[in-house]
Amino acid sequence: MLRPDTDVKYVKGVGPKIALILSRLNIRTVEDLLFHIPIRYIDRTNIKNVRDIKIGEQITLIGTILDTNFRRSGRGKSISEFLFSDGTGNIKLIFFNQPYLKKILKRGVHLIIFGTIDFYRGYQIVQPEFEIAEKNNDIRENFGGIIPVYPLTEGLSQKRVRRILNNAILLTDLSSYEILDKKILDACSVGSLKDAIIKIHKPADLHEAEEAKNTIAFYEFLFIQTYLEKRKVGLKEEKGIVIPRSPEIENFLNSLPFSLTKAQKRVIDEIINDMQTGGVMARLLQGDVGSGKTIVALTIALNVINSGHQTAIMAPTEILANQHFNKIKNYLKSTNVKIELLTGSTKTAKKKKIKEGLSSGKIDIVLGTHALIEGDVKFNSLALAIIDEQHRFGVEQRSKLLKKGKNAHLLVMTATPIPRSLAMTLYGDLDISIIDEMPPGRKEIVTRWIKNEKRFELYDFIKRRIIEKGDQVYAIYPLIEESDKLDLKSATMMYEEIKNYFKGIEVGLIHGKITPSEKENIMKRFANGEIKILVGTTVIEVGIDVPNATIMIIEHPERFGLSQLHQLRGRIGRGTKKSFCILISDRFVSDIAVKRLEIMEKTRDGFRIAEEDLKLRGPGNIYGTRQHGLPPFKVANIVKDTEILKKARECAKKIIDYDRDLKYNRLLDRFDSIEKYYRIG
Ligand code: ADP
Ligand code: MG
């Protein structure tokens, strides 16, 4: 008996040569083969007799070639004609410009054909799909009414794939696909994976094929969801540091110049409650750009400090860490909380002092970059690790920070709204809090998509705004990794062009190649209003806060992801003035690009934008998910199968509820291949 992990070359009908061909389809084991899913089916119950055909019908016929005729049309096109019979009648098959068919489709060859009936001096099918059959009825031997049609590669025929799949199914011990306990099968109302695998290759009818496909998708989701649910429950059962709600929190919130939104209050409650259950918190805080995550994070940090513990906040870049530091220090004016900033450019003596302060417990909050996870940074009692823009950190880095404490609570924050289905898969092991409301009084951002021809009209408008209203401007150019140099040149060219056009107005340029201190300096001069126009690549993307900057030009917006455009746009509309975001594209952009740019014009809702982006471009392209690594699915589709995903998620909860250690449900050996996508420490 074969096993799912057996090398595919041992399947009857494969051998080394075919194994090599199969490897081009990423089929290496029997399991890979079993998961080689049909792209469609021929419905044999719909195989017609030539006698009964009607014009316009899409049908399958099985028969023999009676005669052939090869010629050229007046214009030199090659035409191949075949007279085809199934014993009940004759029909002509016509192919254009496929002269090699002469060698394959000889008189007497048996064929299965699929196509649309046409009539021109008799019934005919133009360019039918066809398969050669050894004898008239050979596909009826191994398959029922429905014949699968598989993705192929050169050197591999449908017939061969069908035969080896048939062998694989007959000769493999499929019992390892009987994964779920009877109770769970019933509770989740789902069939066994084993049945689904057999049925997707040998369905009794098209409905059964469809169901088998859904069942396999369900199991693909289920493996991941159960893994995540088990981890989530595991964290809750670990002994966490209990942080009660401190009455000081109210005093602090009252000291702020604004009152929190309902959403901010709600998520603060969620988080504080979670930190007093006795378990370890692992939570994702989602909130659109500008929704006020910083104050939420700080409130939580204060609560931790009031219990006598420390908090670390890690940001992906020095600029961001700096900005957070200044913002937070400002919020903390009325308190005696001790906060420090630790980054790569902190002076050695200062670094040493901060490290001492952290290990003695004198420092309450430390803000920083990757410098926080260096080996010699030790905490007296780190109870909370907060990670901002978490998708910019690797798995290892997050885990290193957490390990600086003992069962420290984890709060990761993201300003890239993640559609629900994606969040369930990427962060299913985390609890999720969402700030779904903006602070009041946000200024309007007018977004317009214009074509290149209008550039100089736009420049004139901007010039007036700068001179008359003192506005400041971001001009953003996409940076594409593969062609760093080219983009650098483009950004530089744009800088020259703008400098020329805006004579007498200070223009700055930043890009990935300038040193951090130069960058810092330019940013400072932009923040204090000295520089009016800042030209840059996307390095200025995240977190920068210059309320007087009210205009953003984005070049080649079609090259950015929607969520990324949304992030960029979040840099403006922060002050008291109306803001403008202008997307300048080439004259010709694809239909999809047009749709995407129109969405940008219409909405400022980051979640809607992310949903649309997911639909238009698929999960692999959404900003952040590629780095994060979404597990690959063979059948399941995270965009289309959201109902199946929900069902799998609910089922995973039932499984962990009833079979915590997975003794009765054989899911553990599925986890190895999943684990690498999720390790966060
Ligand atoms: P983000 O979620 O993007 O990190 P921030 O925390 O930087 O957002 O907040 C954006 C701005 O909104 C900051 O200037 C902050 O002080 C302000 N802010 C936050 N919460 C409120 C609120 N409830 N009312 C008014 N302004 C707020
Ligand atoms: Mg922020």
Side-chain angles (χ1 to χ4, degrees):
M1 270 252 139
L2 302 168
R3 295 181 354 171
D5 60 356
T6 308
D7 191 316
V8 74
K9 73 179 175 217
Y10 298 111
V11 176
K12 196 173 148 211
V14 180
K17 212 169 124 200
I18 299 289
L20 197 70
I21 294 175
L22 287 173
S23 74
R24 289 209 300 265
L25 293 166
N26 281 325
I27 299 172
R28 295 188 173 81
T29 62
V30 172
E31 173 154 311
D32 295 337
L33 185 63
L34 294 172
F35 279 84
H36 191 57
I37 306 297
I39 31 178
R40 64 177 180 83
Y41 299 87
I42 297 169
D43 186 351
R44 190 177 73 85
T45 58
N46 199 24
I47 291 178
K48 284 276 162 68
N49 291 322
V50 173
R51 184 172 59 206
D52 302 325
I53 58 181
K54 295 191 189 78
I55 295 171
E57 239 182 344
Q58 260 206 356
I59 51 150
T60 303
L61 298 170
I62 301 179
T64 311
I65 293 175
L66 296 184
D67 204 356
T68 64
N69 176 22
F70 304 96
R71 58 192 170 88
R72 292 206 165 266
S73 75
R75 289 192 195 137
K77 238 187 193 177
S78 100
I79 301 176
S80 317
E81 275 184 9
F82 303 90
L83 187 64
F84 174 91
S85 166
D86 69 349
T88 72
N90 299 344
I91 183 170
K92 238 190 295 176
L93 313 180
I94 300 185
F95 298 87
F96 298 110
N97 288 329
Q98 286 167 268
Y100 59 89
L101 290 177
K102 194 173 187 168
K103 288 197 200 122
I104 308 170
L105 300 185
K106 295 188 173 153
R107 204 178 296 171
V109 166
H110 297 295
L111 281 185
I112 305 154
I113 57 172
F114 179 81
T116 306
I117 304 293
D118 201 1
F119 194 91
Y120 179 74
R121 295 180 189 162
Y123 286 110
Q124 63 177 32
I125 302 181
V126 179
Q127 306 279 63
E129 285 180 47
F130 71 88
E131 273 177 59
I132 296 173
E134 258 157 35
K135 46 187 188 239
N136 237 353
N137 57 356
D138 82 330
I139 62 164
R140 302 178 197 210
E141 279 174 12
N142 293 329
F143 293 88
I146 305 291
I147 296 117
V149 178
Y150 291 98
L152 297 177
T153 185
E154 207 187 323
L156 199 65
S157 67
Q158 282 298 345
K159 220 170 53 192
R160 168 90 65 174
V161 181
R162 281 181 202 137
R163 198 185 303 144
I164 60 183
L165 255 156
N166 194 48
N167 291 339
I169 288 169
L170 289 174
L171 302 173
T172 305
D173 174 7
L174 297 175
S175 62
S176 65
Y177 295 116
E178 280 165 339
I179 289 169
L180 299 181
D181 184 66
K182 176 81 174 57
K183 257 194 205 156
I184 291 294
L185 285 175
D186 290 346
C188 301
S189 53
V190 66
S192 88
L193 180 57
K194 177 181 163 179
D195 286 352
I197 288 173
I198 296 172
K199 282 178 184 164
I200 202 159
H201 297 293
K202 305 173 86 168
D205 53 45
L206 289 177
H207 176 69
E208 194 173 278
E210 182 67 22
E211 280 201 331
K213 198 167 175 182
N214 288 343
T215 303
I216 293 175
F218 174 90
Y219 276 91
E220 283 191 295
F221 285 139
L222 184 75
F223 298 151
I224 291 167
Q225 292 303 325
T226 313
Y227 168 79
L228 293 170
E229 183 65 18
K230 184 164 161 39
R231 267 178 57 142
K232 188 167 167 183
V233 170
L235 277 173
K236 288 212 164 39
E237 287 179 359
E238 260 174 61
K239 223 172 132 48
I241 305 162
V242 177
I243 312 280
R245 186 184 191 110
S246 153
E248 303 264 324
I249 293 299
E250 293 311 316
N251 298 338
F252 167 71
L253 292 177
N254 288 334
S255 79
L256 295 176
F258 50 77
S259 44
L260 295 186
T261 61
K262 267 203 219 98
Q264 283 171 315
K265 284 187 194 147
R266 190 192 65 241
V267 302
I268 288 175
D269 286 346
E270 284 168 7
I271 297 168
I272 288 184
N273 289 340
D274 202 4
M275 290 171 75
Q276 34 183 305
T277 58
V280 175
M281 174 176 81
R283 188 173 281 273
L284 170 70
L285 175 59
Q286 280 199 67
D288 213 337
V289 204
S291 61
K293 291 182 293 295
T294 315
I295 192 69
V296 169
L298 179 60
T299 307
I300 305 306
L302 282 179
N303 199 45
V304 164
I305 292 158
N306 284 327
S307 290
H309 302 282
Q310 294 165 294
T311 297
I313 305 177
M314 186 158 74
T317 65
E318 199 141 314
I319 293 182
L320 268 180
N322 257 307
Q323 211 172 263
H324 271 317
F325 181 66
N326 293 329
K327 216 189 258 176
I328 288 179
K329 242 184 17 192
N330 193 32
Y331 283 135
L332 288 175
K333 270 195 307 238
S334 67
T335 71
N336 55 5
V337 170
K338 189 97 175 68
I339 175 167
E340 289 293 349
L341 176 70
L342 183 66
T343 71
S345 55
T346 308
K347 297 266 172 346
T348 316
K350 174 107 200 212
K351 246 187 197 163
K352 191 160 166 263
K353 229 178 129 213
I354 293 175
K355 285 174 187 170
E356 277 165 18
L358 286 174
S359 68
S360 72
K362 232 193 264 161
I363 296 171
D364 301 308
I365 302 179
V366 66
L367 236 148
T369 54
H370 302 78
L372 289 178
I373 54 180
E374 279 167 21
D376 57 347
V377 177
K378 300 207 165 64
F379 289 80
N380 179 44
S381 173
L382 178 69
L384 174 62
I386 298 178
I387 294 174
D388 195 22
E389 300 296 336
Q390 54 73 37
H391 59 274
R392 297 196 148 202
F393 289 96
V395 159
E396 311 279 304
Q397 294 165 326
R398 289 180 292 202
S399 127
K400 267 191 188 149
L401 184 61
L402 267 184
K403 288 204 178 107
K404 305 244 173 220
K406 221 179 128 214
N407 285 356
H409 299 288
L410 172 68
L411 183 67
V412 300
M413 305 202 289
T414 174
T416 312
I418 307 161
R420 247 188 85 67
S421 58
L422 204 54
M424 234 189 251
T425 306
L426 287 175
Y427 303 110
D429 53 342
L430 304 181
D431 289 301
I432 297 183
S433 287
I434 299 178
I435 308 181
D436 52 4
E437 181 186 356
M438 284 290 184
R442 278 296 136 89
K443 281 298 163 220
E444 190 191 353
I445 301 180
V446 177
T447 300
R448 284 286 172 273
W449 164 41
I450 65 168
K451 306 233 164 123
N452 212 4
E453 298 98 280
K454 296 265 175 98
R455 175 179 301 274
F456 293 103
E457 271 171 59
L458 172 70
Y459 283 179
D460 288 338
F461 165 76
I462 292 176
K463 205 184 248 173
R464 279 201 308 277
R465 299 287 300 198
I466 296 174
I467 293 170
E468 290 165 16
K469 312 216 170 191
D471 286 359
Q472 284 175 278
V473 183
Y474 294 106
I476 309 232
Y477 219 91
L479 180 124
I480 295 173
E481 280 155 43
E482 296 96 88
S483 58
D484 259 1
K485 271 200 199 123
L486 196 101
D487 289 310
L488 193 60
K489 193 168 138 232
S490 313
T492 314
M493 262 162 58
M494 188 178 171
Y495 169 68
E496 295 297 337
E497 179 189 294
I498 287 180
K499 244 182 19 185
N500 244 324
Y501 206 86
F502 291 82
K503 280 216 167 65
I505 290 172
E506 195 69 22
V507 185
L509 171 67
I510 64 172
H511 50 71
K513 296 278 173 347
I514 65 173
T515 66
S517 69
E518 269 178 283
K519 190 150 118 190
E520 195 84 42
N521 182 35
I522 293 172
M523 281 311 307
K524 247 186 223 144
R525 290 174 56 217
F526 185 65
N528 68 25
E530 224 176 291
I531 291 176
K532 296 291 181 199
I533 304 177
L534 183 61
V535 181
T537 51
T538 48
V539 286
I540 54 176
E541 163 193 345
V542 176
I544 304 296
D545 200 4
V546 180
N548 193 50
T550 52
I551 299 173
M552 176 172 281
I553 309 172
I554 302 177
E555 299 280 340
H556 293 297
E558 69 281 358
R559 291 200 206 161
F560 292 98
L562 280 191
S563 293
Q564 206 182 356
L565 285 175
H566 179 66
Q567 286 280 315
L568 285 167
R569 183 170 57 179
R571 301 301 114 221
I572 56 173
R574 305 197 138 227
T576 51
K577 294 192 218 165
K578 181 172 173 177
S579 292
F580 301 88
C581 177
I582 314 293
L583 312 169
I584 308 181
S585 71
D586 288 343
R587 189 121 55 106
F588 301 105
V589 289
S590 70
D591 288 352
I592 276 207
V594 170
K595 274 211 191 94
R596 296 171 63 235
L597 297 177
E598 283 172 357
I599 291 165
M600 288 305 294
E601 285 190 329
K602 267 190 239 133
T603 179
R604 244 178 109 181
D605 176 343
F607 278 93
R608 255 216 59 210
I609 286 173
E611 291 279 358
E612 297 291 340
D613 215 10
L614 184 61
K615 271 189 226 146
L616 288 174
R617 296 200 306 160
N621 283 316
I622 296 250
Y623 179 62
T625 57
R626 204 196 308 256
Q627 295 94 306
H628 198 288
L630 195 61
F633 296 108
K634 292 231 163 92
V635 175
N637 179 320
I638 203 165
V639 181
K640 295 191 184 118
D641 297 332
T642 49
E643 285 310 308
I644 299 176
L645 172 59
K646 259 193 231 153
K647 206 178 138 194
R649 169 114 197 126
E650 278 153 29
C651 185
K653 281 192 184 142
K654 286 178 190 160
I655 292 172
I656 294 300
D657 246 12
Y658 144 79
D659 182 18
R660 180 53 213 287
D661 298 321
L662 300 175
K663 279 191 199 133
Y664 312 109
N665 295 279
R666 299 158 62 175
L667 288 152
L668 284 175
D669 43 336
R670 295 273 147 195
F671 288 176
D672 284 350
S673 60
I674 295 172
E675 186 134 48
K676 61 171 180 264
Y677 295 100
Y678 290 97
R679 253 177 284 130
I680 60 157

